[in-house]
Structure formats: C-alpha cells, structure tokens
Amino acid sequence: MAAGRDSGAADTPTMRQYLEFKQQVPDAILLYRMGDFYELFFEDAIRAAEILELTLTSRNKNDPDPIPMAGMPHHALEPYLLRLVEAGCKVAIVDQIEDPAETKARGDKLVARDLVRVVTPAVPWSPDAVDARERCWLAGVAVEGRGGGRLGIALLDVSTGELRVTEVEDAEAAARELAGHAPRELVLHPAVADLAPLAALARGLSTTVPAPAAFDREVAEQRLCEVLHVADLLGYGAAELGPALCAAGALVAYVRDTARVDLSHVTRLDIYAVTGRMVIDPATRRNLEILRPLWGTGRKGTLLGLLDRTATAMGGRLLRDWLSAPLVEVPAIQARLDAVEALQEPSLRASVRARLRLVADLERLGSKVAQGTASARELVALRGSLEALPGLAALVDPLPALAPARCADPLPEIAADIGHWLVDEPPIALTEGGMIRSGVHAELDEVLDLARQGKGAIARMEARERQRTGIQSLKVKHNKVFGYFLEVTQANFDRVPDDWMRKQTLANAERYITPELKDFEEKVLGADERSKALEYVLFTELRQRVAAQVARLQAAARGVAWLDVVASLAEVAATSRYVRPVVDAGDRLEIMAGRHPVVESMPMDEPFVPNDLVLDEGRRLAILTGPNMAGKSTVMRQAALIVLMAQCGSFVPAAHAHVGVADRIFVRVGASDDLAHGRSTFMVEMSETALILNQATRRSLVLLDEIGRGTSTYDGLAIAWAVAEAMHDQVGARTIFATHYHELVSLSEDKEHVSNLHVAVSEWGEQIIFLRRLEEGGASQSYGIQCARLAGMPAAVVARARELLAELERRPRHGPPTRQLGLFAPAPKQAPAPPPGPSPVEAALSAVNPDELTPKAALELVYRLKSLER
Ligand code: ADP
Ligand code: MG
C-alpha cells in the first residue's frame, strides 16, 4: 500500500512512528492519537471516512503527494468504534502514553505512544457493547500435525470469560459445531482455513489466519497455564487433548497479546464432548427457526423467543446455549425435566422468579471487576445481587431436583465488604468522591471533616461580612478559575469595604477576594483533592479484593443461570399447557394432541388443531400428503420441535408425548418452498439431502418437506421416490416425508415400514375447507385449483384451469407407478390403457351429496358434469 513509501509527507518522525504501529496490525484500521483527536491516514482514512461519514482531508496539502487523512474527537471514540466494528473492521487504537510536557522535558519532539487495544467483532471495547442476552464467541480451529487429523475447537466469550474446547473428527463436524455457537469471529489454522465447510462458515465473518506457530502445542499450554494461574493443565483433564489446546492457545495469543485485553476473568477451561449433544446441522437450525426467524430479524417467531422468560441476562444466554445443543443422554435430560417439574409448584416458581429478578448479570460484572473496569455503581449492583442469593438458596436447597442451582457459596463476605465501604448510590465518576461511606476509614473521615470545616468557616465568614457591610445580597461563590470569591451586585458597590481586593468585574456585579477567604480556600480545596484521591484508592483496593474472588463469583453465576433457565421453562410450561414428555433410549416417537409451540402462540383466525403422530417400528417412514396450505409443514415441524424441546429438558405442547432420544434431527425444505430465502437452489437442496442420506442413523429424526420440487415433475418424482426408498431400505431413520407427489403413496404397498398419512380437508361444493387433521392414508387429490381459487385467482383463469385439467385427465398419461410397471418404465406411447378407477364424471358425482345441494349448485353441477363428459 501507499504507506510503504518513505519520502515526502510520510517522512516525518510522526509518520514514521505511525507506520511502525501500522506494520504491527496491517489488517486493522489504525486510530492514531494526536492531541484531542484520533487521526486516520492513507487507506484507513478513506475507508473510515466512508463508513463513519467523516470529512476526508489530507496531511501536508502542498506536498505533491498528500496523505489522505480523517479524524475524530477523542471523546467520541466509543460510538465510532462501534460503527467500525459493526462494519466488520478491526480497529487498533494508538494512544499517547505521556503528557506532551514530559516529551519536551526530555528534550524530545515525538510524544511516546503505544498500541493500547485492538477492537474486533468478538473482542469488543467493553462487555457492554454486546447485547446482554447475546453471546460473543470468538472461535478458533486448529488441526493435529500438518492437517488430516482431528480438529480442535476453542470458543472464548470475552464478555463473560468462558473458555471451552472440544475436538471433532473432520471439518464438516467442526463447521457444524461452530455454527451452533454462531461465533462473531474466527481464528483459523492455515491448514484448515481452505477446507470447504470452514471456508463457507468464514464467509461474511471477520476471520484471521495466523502463522502456524501461533498454534504451537507447547506454547499453547504455557499460555493457558499463565491465564489460568496453574502449573499444568492436568487438573482440567486436558492430558488427552491435542489440537483443542492449540486452538485455545491461539485464541489467548489473539486476545491477550494482539488485542491486548486482560484475561484475568478467564478462570476455567471447560472441556466438553460433542458426543453428549444432539447434532443439528445449520440448515435444520434455520428451518426450525430455533434462534432466528427464517425471515426478518429479532426473536419473534423463534423457539428462543417463545421459551425465554428468563429474569437475568445470564439465564437468557444459557437458554440460548441449551437450545443450540440439546442433550442425548437420558439421565441428563431427566435431571432437567425433574427441575422443571419441581418448579411447576406455582408459589415456589413465583418466589424463585421474583428473587432472580434481583440478580444482575454476575458474569459480565465479574468480567469487569476482574479487568479493573467495574464502576462503584456496578460493585453496588454486585452486592445487591449477592445479597439475593441466600434467599434463593433457602428456596432451592431443600429440593433435590434443583441441586445444580445450589449455591454453596453466595460470597457473603464479598457482599459485606462492598456494603461496608460503598454508599448505596455512588456517583458515576470514580474520581469525584462521594463513593465511600463515612465512618469506615479514619483518615478519609478526617480529611472530609477538614473540607467540611473549611466550608463551615467560609459560611460563617459570609454571614459576618454581610452583617459588617450591610450588603444583604452578599454571597460567597466558587468557580474553577477563581476559586472562592465574594460577589456584590451593582446596587451595593459603594458599601464594599477597603480591605477587599477586586478580582473581576462583570456586567452588573463585582467579585472580590480577601486573604482570609484564600486561606480557607486552600484548606477546603486541598482537603477535597486529598479526599477524592483517597476515595479512589480505597475503591480500587476494594475492587481488587472482589477481583480475587472472581472464580467463585462465576461459579455462583452458573448456578443462578441454570436456575433461571429451568424456572423459565417451568413458567412457559405452566402458562402454555405443556406436559412432561416421557423420554427414553428407545426409538418410538408418540405425540398425542401435539401442537406447534410457535404457531399456536401467534394470533390466528382459526383455533390451532392438535394432532396425533406415531412413528415406531411399524412406521419408520410416513409419507405425508395433502393439498397446499393444509398444514403438512406445520405438523412436521411441530414433531421436530417437540423432540428438540424434550431433549433440552423442556415440557412439550401436547397432551402426551413419548420421545425416544434422537441423535440428530434433519429438516430439509424443498427448493421452491424456501425460495424467499434466496439461497435454496435445487443444487443446495440436493446436496443437503445427500448429506442426510450419508449421515442419518437409525436413531435420527428426518423430516423432508417437498424434496424434489425444484425440478421438472418426472425428475422430481424420481428423486423423491429414490430418496424415500433409500431412507427406508438403508438408513432406517424415523422419517416423515411431506410431498405433493401422490404417486409416493403407493410405496407403502411395497415397503414394510412405510405408511401413509394425510392432512384432511373437506369439500363444500367448489370450496375446500382445511380441517388441519392428520389422518391415516394418502390424500385423494391435490386440490390445486381450489387453492388457486381461494388465493383470489381471477374466476376466468380458474375456469380455464379446470378445463385444462379435465383435458389432461382425459389424455393418456402415467398412472401412479406400480410394482409391475416400475417407476422408471417409459411412458406408454400408444394404445393407452383405459384410466383405472372411476371416470371423471363418476368421480365428480360420487363427491356430491344431493341433500346438500342448493338449486344453484345443482345447476352448476350439471354444467360441470357436461364439461367432464368424454
Ligand atoms: P402445507 O405445508 O401443507 O402447505 P402449512 O403447514 O404451511 O401447510 O400450513 C399452512 C397454514 O395453515 C399455516 O401457516 C398455519 O397458519 C395453518 N395451520 C397449519 N396447521 C394448523 C393447525 N394444526 N391448526 C391451525 N392452523 C394450522
Ligand atoms: Mg409446506
């Protein structure tokens, strides 16, 4: 880049210093402090000027080759930083680290500067820059040896100090695991950065690929030991780990050494096994709208939005984690369900939730305390939260089901320490005093007393002088420039005694000082300054004492977050009429009177119709047919959501549910059903379906919604048919296949474990009425034309479509594939066999109930029958 040149405007001591810093962080936008401004140069200036709408100028305008430059006032740094990071930039901040006066005293011209922080999407300026209920994951991926072996994943949430690691078999699994965490930023080993699944994930994310040395195993262990203050990692059970530690080491280097963020709030290494979790691939995650809606933003219409009644931000974040990674081990699921059940007791639940509301975000407060950025107000909030813990413990401790929430250690001495020192409502600023209680520190009391005495003496003097001079309006005032002074209004100028010294004349007042006043002033101001400085010291000492306990604080926070999540699930269960599912290791799925949790919670014109669904040994594969808009997609998704909720430990929207644990859930939606999402081409649909055939097991739950739709009818039917066969013959997963290809209905004649379901509709003349009822057997026809009519298609077009349909039905065409014919048999060219079954006229007649016909409908029927005549 242009910054490389060393002549002209760039060749000044300042610009040389600038370029040295720039070299350290070439991929970051560099903010360079000059006096009251942060300046940007070269490409950085151009880019930032565009993002921030700053005025672009240039340094050294007369130079033939001027340097582009932009700047922002230093006090406006935070909002600008936020916008740059939101635009996906990394931002490096170079500050002046000495007073320019010191520079002069040294006889130097160049102010000493240092790179103090690099701010990135996952390493924000402050934990407050991240929405309280959002995660802030930075993810690292490393690989064993030179690649080809296992992959290690590390995840660090800088806002809370959580560090977790795991290892997986391949890049596919790594990408899946990462997607579940939705990281804001990636740090990838060069050997994995180009692997397709990871490269796809990295698209659109801020990604750094450091040199392989950053992932060195030994250095990684050393770094982790430093951060965790341990001699070795054996206590964490890390002996078995390889690439996971390398990934964690690279993250520490990135955050601590490059971004220069203090990691004293990282107190544990959490090693987790992906095998204990249900695997949910990104397409399924999206289609089920677990955390994000398919369309739009926010949480409306998502499972998270529905289930999140947590009282604390910690609980909100943990619920997100639970929904992202449901469990597969029955005892672990039962333990959560036990807790939700215990909290069904209304008064217990109400008390628990009321107390949870008193608890602030202990995790992020803990981070700030450990990093030395917590304010006095935040310490007071911390105290209030800690004081709420014993009340929670009294409710929770007697109940074995709530054991994980038991906080053996509510840190009473920390709450007491904060309560002892800090007033209940300290000011925002840390340097203006007013934070420390009186009566807790003798020296502080003495200094404050001096200041108070001085102020009292000044007040007494004011009264005395008022009497002596007879100036009733006489006031002693104070400002930063002149200190204390006596102010006299114009009307009283002639009463001013000789021993006052005039200091300043205003439009209609004069200001005076006296030696006595200046004497008091010195005492007051001196004492004031000393008390403020002393308060600051006492405050930081307190903060350090709390910081030393941050690991205990985090442990307490985990208990509270857990309790908050189960209480939230219990609340939703109670208010939405959910039941406790029966969960076991079998492979039965039985849902009685199940509802779609999100759809039923939305305002609707019609009441939600519950449905039964059983998938078991006899029915591994259900072919689900029914007209458009009948409710096929809804009933399938509701099954998936019920299984997912159950395995998260939640009660479920049904009258009864029996869930044999699923190791994975796959949900695929045919291309044309997902067009608005923009990415679902037919190819994507096919590759996603291929993935299922390769990865699903007998224990999986597979939902295929209109697969094979994005291509021509015969292609589509052929693909749908072959996929269904493969699911049945080879995979054997519990599967529901919703399709508009009625031909698939005949699969059940052939295949032992296939059966048909349809969503029932009834006809009323030319109307169809959606019953929303799931029934055995296949749908008889597709009702496409009735749907078109319902959708407001012009009557003439509907009539023409009817005509064409009748025409098509009269013509030779494929019958449904039969065993004898086989699906791929060529279409009969001539001598069509007579169409099987009743003729169109007969069919239309059999659908009519004469007793229900109005005279007008009867006449219409005659016309219709006439048009169907062969
Ligand atoms: P399909 O997939 O068969 O075309 P959908 O599942 O998309 O149909 O359902 C269409 C609409 O019908 C949904 O948006 C929903 O509002 C409504 N619906 C679906 N199932 C039910 C039900 N069981 N009870 C009430 N309304 C339902
Ligand atoms: Mg559908």
Side-chain angles (χ1 to χ4, degrees):
M1 64 176 234
R5 77 195 126 185
D6 58 2
S7 65
D11 197 21
T12 64
T14 304
M15 287 318 289
R16 274 198 297 272
Q17 189 193 43
Y18 169 86
L19 291 172
E20 268 166 37
F21 283 117
K22 184 70 194 175
Q23 248 167 29
Q24 292 178 30
V25 279
D27 60 341
I29 286 191
L30 195 139
L31 304 183
Y32 184 78
R33 180 75 178 261
M34 299 179 88
D36 284 339
F37 280 80
Y38 284 106
E39 304 287 6
L40 300 110
F41 302 108
F42 303 107
E43 278 83 356
D44 286 355
I46 296 169
R47 197 156 155 224
E50 193 173 306
I51 296 169
L52 302 174
E53 293 155 50
L54 299 173
T55 315
L56 192 62
T57 59
S58 55
R59 187 173 164 81
N60 226 349
K61 289 192 187 58
N62 302 328
D63 200 281
D65 197 9
I67 299 171
M69 172 171 137
M72 62 185 76
H74 75 96
H75 56 78
L77 177 65
E78 274 191 54
Y80 281 124
L81 268 182
L82 211 63
R83 279 166 64 189
L84 285 172
V85 172
E86 266 169 18
C89 304
K90 290 183 191 172
V91 188
I93 302 166
V94 171
D95 260 330
Q96 295 177 180
I97 53 167
E98 66 180 357
D99 196 311
E102 290 173 53
T103 321
K104 257 195 205 129
R106 274 193 294 127
D108 205 337
K109 279 198 186 118
L110 189 62
V111 184
R113 291 186 172 85
D114 197 12
L115 201 170
V116 293
R117 272 295 305 274
V118 179
V119 179
T120 72
V123 191
W125 175 247
S126 133
D128 297 336
V130 184
D131 185 277
R133 278 159 198 267
E134 292 280 343
R135 284 300 201 163
C136 184
W137 293 117
L138 170 69
V141 183
V143 67
E144 216 157 47
R146 294 229 193 96
R150 289 167 70 74
L151 300 184
I153 295 178
L155 292 145
L156 174 60
D157 184 334
V158 182
S159 72
T160 59
E162 280 156 283
L163 175 61
R164 41 176 90 156
V165 294
T166 193
E167 289 181 357
V168 294
E169 288 307 323
D170 53 30
E172 179 85 55
R176 204 165 48 227
E177 181 56 26
L178 290 180
H181 283 83
R184 291 172 176 237
E185 192 175 349
L186 301 176
V187 176
L188 301 180
H189 189 286
V192 303
D194 294 330
L195 302 178
L198 288 169
L201 186 78
R203 216 167 294 138
L205 278 186
S206 172
T207 304
T208 307
V209 183
F215 295 84
D216 183 84
R217 163 75 193 242
E218 259 170 53
V219 180
E221 276 190 44
Q222 191 188 323
R223 285 189 190 123
L224 289 169
C225 289
E226 280 162 23
V227 166
L228 300 167
H229 300 290
V230 291
D232 60 53
L233 298 173
L234 294 177
Y236 291 98
E240 308 286 295
L241 292 181
L245 289 184
C246 303
L251 293 193
V252 169
Y254 183 74
V255 175
R256 186 190 62 182
D257 307 337
T258 306
R260 310 206 179 187
V261 168
D262 177 76
L263 286 181
S264 24
H265 60 316
V266 176
T267 61
R268 341 192 293 157
L269 179 67
D270 179 12
I271 300 169
Y272 72 101
V274 284
T275 49
R277 319 287 170 95
M278 175 197 276
V279 179
I280 311 176
D281 55 275
T284 301
R285 214 174 275 288
R286 212 171 43 241
N287 285 325
L288 286 180
E289 306 187 281
I290 300 172
L291 304 182
R292 281 176 221 298
L294 264 176
W295 295 296
T297 52
R299 332 164 120 205
K300 210 169 176 270
T302 66
L303 188 61
L304 176 64
L306 181 79
L307 296 182
D308 189 357
R309 310 258 181 103
T310 54
T312 71
M314 299 172 280
R317 293 191 298 265
L318 185 64
L319 176 60
R320 177 180 280 272
D321 287 1
W322 283 20
L323 294 182
S324 303
L327 305 173
V328 291
E329 271 138 28
V330 175
I333 298 169
Q334 298 294 12
R336 288 186 185 174
L337 289 170
D338 287 345
V340 175
E341 182 161 342
L343 285 162
Q344 287 306 295
E345 209 285 295
S347 71
L348 171 67
R349 187 172 69 249
S351 318
V352 165
R353 296 183 75 232
R355 285 190 167 73
L356 283 169
R357 282 189 210 104
L358 304 176
V359 183
D361 193 341
L362 293 174
E363 286 173 338
R364 290 207 182 155
L365 283 179
S367 300
K368 290 178 144 193
V369 169
Q371 294 175 320
T373 58
S375 68
R377 286 190 174 185
E378 285 167 327
L379 283 194
V380 170
L382 179 59
R383 171 193 142 206
S385 306
L386 292 177
E387 285 171 350
L389 297 188
L392 275 176
L395 293 169
V396 161
D397 289 357
L399 298 167
L402 301 181
R406 248 175 235 170
C407 184
D409 176 20
L411 296 93
E413 81 288 2
I414 289 295
D417 198 10
I418 299 172
H420 177 76
W421 287 97
L422 294 185
V423 298
D424 295 338
E425 289 180 20
I428 294 174
L430 298 181
T431 50
E432 293 298 309
M435 300 184 287
I436 306 287
R437 286 187 196 280
S438 64
V440 297
H441 192 268
E443 190 190 340
L444 178 65
D445 285 348
E446 207 178 296
V447 185
L448 283 174
D449 210 39
L450 271 181
R452 241 188 321 272
Q453 279 171 21
K455 282 178 190 155
I458 289 171
R460 279 193 300 279
M461 175 202 162
E462 181 190 74
R464 190 194 68 213
E465 291 297 291
R466 195 178 290 152
Q467 194 154 32
R468 176 163 82 103
T469 59
I471 307 174
Q472 285 315 310
S473 63
L474 179 69
K475 281 233 165 61
V476 173
K477 291 189 172 174
H478 175 263
N479 72 24
K480 283 228 166 80
V481 183
F482 294 112
Y484 286 94
F485 51 81
L486 294 145
E487 191 169 285
V488 179
T489 52
Q490 203 163 21
N492 295 308
F493 283 171
D494 53 341
R495 301 194 192 192
V496 171
D498 296 342
D499 53 345
W500 291 7
M501 290 167 281
R502 192 162 65 223
K503 190 79 190 167
Q504 193 189 12
T505 303
L506 306 178
N508 45 17
E510 299 214 305
R511 290 174 171 179
Y512 298 87
I513 56 170
T514 72
E516 186 192 14
L517 190 58
K518 285 293 124 179
D519 213 39
F520 289 141
E521 177 183 300
E522 222 159 85
K523 281 191 187 131
V524 171
L525 293 186
D528 241 23
E529 242 160 62
R530 267 198 297 152
S531 74
K532 285 173 184 166
L534 189 53
E535 284 206 30
Y536 184 74
V537 170
L538 293 172
F539 170 74
T540 48
E541 283 173 3
L542 171 67
R543 192 167 60 191
Q544 276 160 16
R545 285 197 299 278
V546 182
Q549 305 303 324
V550 69
R552 285 169 65 201
L553 193 61
Q554 289 170 340
R558 277 192 296 278
V560 172
W562 186 92
L563 182 63
D564 197 8
V565 174
V566 291
S568 174
L569 293 177
E571 175 73 9
V572 183
T575 53
S576 312
R577 297 174 299 114
Y578 292 179
V579 297
R580 176 175 181 151
V582 176
V583 176
D584 62 22
D587 61 359
R588 186 174 175 79
L589 174 61
E590 178 183 311
I591 298 171
M592 292 303 159
R595 285 124 45 206
H596 189 298
V598 178
V599 174
E600 78 159 345
S601 75
M602 303 284 198
M604 289 208 303
D605 300 337
E606 43 182 334
F608 193 90
V609 179
N611 271 309
D612 301 344
L613 175 73
V614 179
L615 293 178
D616 56 11
E617 209 35 53
R619 178 190 284 146
R620 301 297 293 185
L621 172 62
I623 301 288
L624 175 59
T625 45
N628 262 323
M629 284 301 287
K632 301 183 295 299
S633 299
T634 306
V635 79
M636 289 209 308
R637 280 175 177 71
Q638 117 191 357
L641 287 171
I642 284 174
V643 170
L644 185 129
M645 288 166 76
Q647 292 185 224
C648 288
S650 170
F651 283 20
V652 297
H656 164 79
H658 182 143
V659 174
V661 165
D663 63 348
R664 308 179 63 143
I665 294 181
F666 294 92
V667 178
R668 287 299 178 276
V669 180
S672 59
D673 244 28
D674 194 22
L675 262 190
H677 202 69
R679 47 156 270 139
S680 255
T681 62
F682 181 66
M683 271 311 287
V684 173
E685 175 191 332
M686 285 299 105
S687 64
E688 287 181 354
T689 308
L691 190 95
I692 300 183
L693 292 173
N694 294 329
Q695 297 189 341
T697 73
R698 264 191 83 72
R699 310 218 40 110
S700 307
L701 176 66
V702 178
L703 305 179
L704 300 169
D705 195 351
E706 309 270 14
I707 288 298
R709 216 181 186 188
T711 181
S712 77
T713 309
Y714 289 134
D715 270 10
L717 173 56
I719 290 168
W721 189 287
V723 168
E725 262 182 5
M727 284 310 299
H728 176 274
D729 298 348
Q730 283 130 43
V731 181
R734 286 168 286 178
T735 306
I736 309 176
F737 196 141
T739 180
H740 67 294
Y741 294 123
H742 295 131
E743 292 83 346
L744 282 190
V745 164
S746 55
L747 250 186
S748 67
E749 296 164 18
D750 234 6
K751 304 282 181 189
E752 197 185 340
H753 307 294
V754 176
S755 73
N756 295 313
L757 293 172
H758 70 280
V759 187
V761 296
S762 80
E763 279 181 281
W764 175 259
E766 296 196 345
Q767 307 264 16
I768 62 170
I769 297 165
F770 294 116
L771 300 178
R772 312 284 180 217
R773 239 180 19 239
L774 198 56
E775 292 181 352
E776 298 290 331
S780 53
Q781 53 162 311
S782 69
Y783 301 94
I785 294 181
Q786 285 93 329
C787 282
R789 193 168 155 269
L790 270 186
M793 189 89 80
V797 177
V798 173
R800 174 69 182 140
R802 259 187 226 298
E803 250 175 63
L804 289 171
L805 178 64
E807 175 75 14
L808 286 171
E809 280 176 347
R810 216 174 300 147
R811 277 203 199 152
R813 53 167 233 151
H814 289 286
T818 64
R819 252 164 302 178
Q820 296 85 345
L821 204 61
L823 174 63
F824 302 104
K829 291 258 158 55
Q830 331 122 340
S839 73
V841 174
E842 286 162 344
L845 269 176
S846 76
V848 169
N849 179 354
D851 293 337
E852 287 176 354
L853 285 185
T854 63
K856 182 163 177 279
L859 184 62
E860 276 169 6
L861 177 68
V862 174
Y863 280 115
R864 195 163 131 227
L865 291 176
K866 189 75 191 152
S867 77
L868 293 176
E869 193 185 20
R870 300 180 196 230

